[in-house]
Amino acid sequence: MQLGRRGWNNVVIFSMLLMIFFFNGLHTKLNSGSEQSSVQSVLPAQNFILALEFPDQKIERIGTSWRATALINNAPASFWQATTANLVALVNEWQSMQLSVADNQQAFHNTSALTVATVWLAGEQLPWLYQLYSAPQGYYLLDKSNQRVLSLDKVTAQRLFPSFNFSQSEPK
C-alpha cells in the first residue's frame, strides 16, 4: 500500500502527537517522586495572614500592626493585653510552621476537636480552618481546606494555640 504526500503528512502529524502525549505522561510519572513530602507547611507558601481567630479571641491586622480582640466576655485578661511583639510572633509561627504529615490519620476519628483556628489569607475568599485533636500519640492538626492531618507535639501545639488550656486535654 502506497501513501501519497498527504497521507504521509497525516502519519507524521499523528505520530508526533502520540510522542508528545507519551513524553508528557512519562515526564509527570518521573517527576512525581513520592506522593507527598513528609514535612509540609501549615499554611500555603507566600501567603499573607489578614486575621487569625480562635474560639475566644481574634487577632487581625490593622494597618502595619496587629490587634487582639476578646470574643467572649469572661476571657482571661492576660492574653488580650498581649504586646504587639507577641501577636507578631504568633502570626509568624502560623506563617512559617512546618509539620510532618501524620501516619495514622484515623487515631482521633471518633473524638471531638479540642479547639479550632480560622485563618484568613490575602487573596482567598474563604478562610482556612484548622482543628486540633488529642490522641494517644500526641496532638494532630486537621487542615479542613486540604483534608490533611499533621502531627505535632505539645510544645508546638501550645505555640500555635496560646490561649488554649492544655492541662485539661492531655493525650489519652
Side-chain angles (χ1 to χ4, degrees):
M1 169 169 119
Q2 285 198 341
L3 293 176
R5 182 179 182 128
R6 187 173 184 185
W8 279 111
N9 282 344
N10 288 340
V11 169
V12 170
I13 289 170
F14 284 114
S15 62
M16 292 302 287
L17 286 173
L18 285 172
M19 284 186 0
I20 289 170
F21 288 129
F22 172 73
F23 287 132
N24 190 31
L26 184 64
H27 168 73
T28 56
K29 288 285 188 187
L30 290 176
N31 286 341
S32 66
S34 64
E35 62 184 50
Q36 283 188 345
S37 173
S38 62
V39 175
Q40 296 181 359
S41 294
V42 173
L43 295 174
Q46 303 300 321
N47 271 343
F48 188 70
I49 295 177
L50 298 177
L52 183 60
E53 185 175 319
F54 300 103
D56 57 348
Q57 69 192 11
K58 183 173 186 176
I59 301 167
E60 54 192 341
R61 183 176 262 309
I62 306 297
T64 59
S65 63
W66 295 91
R67 173 181 67 188
T69 309
L71 297 178
I72 57 175
N73 292 334
N74 57 356
S78 61
F79 190 80
W80 314 124
Q81 297 167 353
T83 64
T84 303
N86 290 345
L87 298 177
V88 169
L90 177 61
V91 170
N92 287 340
E93 279 291 337
W94 276 92
Q95 194 90 36
S96 63
M97 183 61 63
Q98 292 192 348
L99 299 173
S100 59
V101 177
D103 294 331
N104 184 7
Q105 299 191 4
Q106 299 298 324
F108 59 88
H109 186 63
N110 294 328
T111 62
S112 61
L114 299 174
T115 188
V116 65
T118 308
V119 181
W120 280 268
L121 299 172
E124 298 279 338
Q125 285 185 324
L126 297 173
W128 288 56
L129 186 68
Y130 295 91
Q131 295 176 329
L132 182 68
Y133 289 90
S134 176
Q137 298 83 9
Y139 291 94
Y140 293 98
L141 189 65
L142 174 61
D143 176 0
K144 296 288 278 186
S145 302
N146 293 330
Q147 294 300 314
R148 296 181 302 169
V149 179
L150 306 168
S151 62
L152 63 161
D153 59 3
K154 183 177 180 179
V155 173
T156 306
Q158 287 173 332
R159 289 190 341 229
L160 291 177
F161 297 91
S163 65
F164 182 71
N165 186 1
F166 283 89
S167 62
Q168 298 173 352
S169 63
E170 290 297 321
K172 300 168 183 111

